[in-house]
Amino acid sequence: MRSYHIDDLQPEDVARLGRALDARGMKSAMEAMYWLDLPAALLSAEQREHAADCGPHSVGVELGEDWVHAELLVRARNRLRCSCVCYADAAQRAWVMDELDRTLRELDIPV
């Protein structure tokens, strides 16, 4: 699995990040898991075509005791298997990493 992983965080900072993600409505049904929805402008042509049936298209973000981990697999949250589920392209990958980095900066969490 391709991923973006940030470790050596303070547990209290991870807890603060979790609260911020909760407040943004990103919580999934699983404990310590969140959904980061990709903006429509970043979706591939196929993902845009499938948005109504398969979307939203998101990457999973998991919080551990002292780490945060983002999968770089773009999932279709309304369909488990589809050709629109694929690894993030370069623009999507950059956006996911930038979005997590920006959130950590906003929360003044050092990395």
Side-chain angles (χ1 to χ4, degrees):
M1 175 66 64
R2 296 175 189 166
S3 63
Y4 180 52
H5 188 84
I6 301 169
D7 58 7
D8 293 329
L9 298 172
Q10 295 299 314
E12 58 271 11
D13 288 337
V14 174
R16 199 157 37 102
L17 175 59
R19 289 190 298 274
L21 299 178
D22 284 342
R24 293 178 185 174
M26 297 170 57
K27 185 79 176 117
S28 79
M30 295 176 58
E31 185 66 29
M33 290 293 301
Y34 298 86
W35 290 116
L36 183 57
D37 295 341
L38 282 123
L42 287 179
L43 298 179
S44 70
E46 184 175 22
Q47 289 166 339
R48 282 192 300 274
E49 288 173 11
H50 292 208
D53 293 326
C54 297
H57 290 85
S58 312
V59 297
V61 176
E62 182 180 7
L63 302 184
E65 184 177 331
D66 63 352
W67 50 265
V68 59
H69 176 93
E71 290 183 337
L72 295 177
L73 178 68
V74 179
R75 296 181 182 273
R77 293 202 1 229
N78 284 320
R79 187 166 296 174
L80 188 57
R81 296 191 193 283
C82 184
S83 58
C84 67
V85 174
C86 59
Y87 281 108
D89 64 26
Q92 293 168 337
R93 208 170 35 247
W95 182 83
V96 168
M97 293 188 303
D98 289 346
E99 187 67 15
L100 283 176
D101 291 346
R102 182 189 60 76
T103 301
L104 292 171
R105 275 192 313 276
E106 283 178 359
L107 295 171
D108 199 28
I109 296 174
V111 292

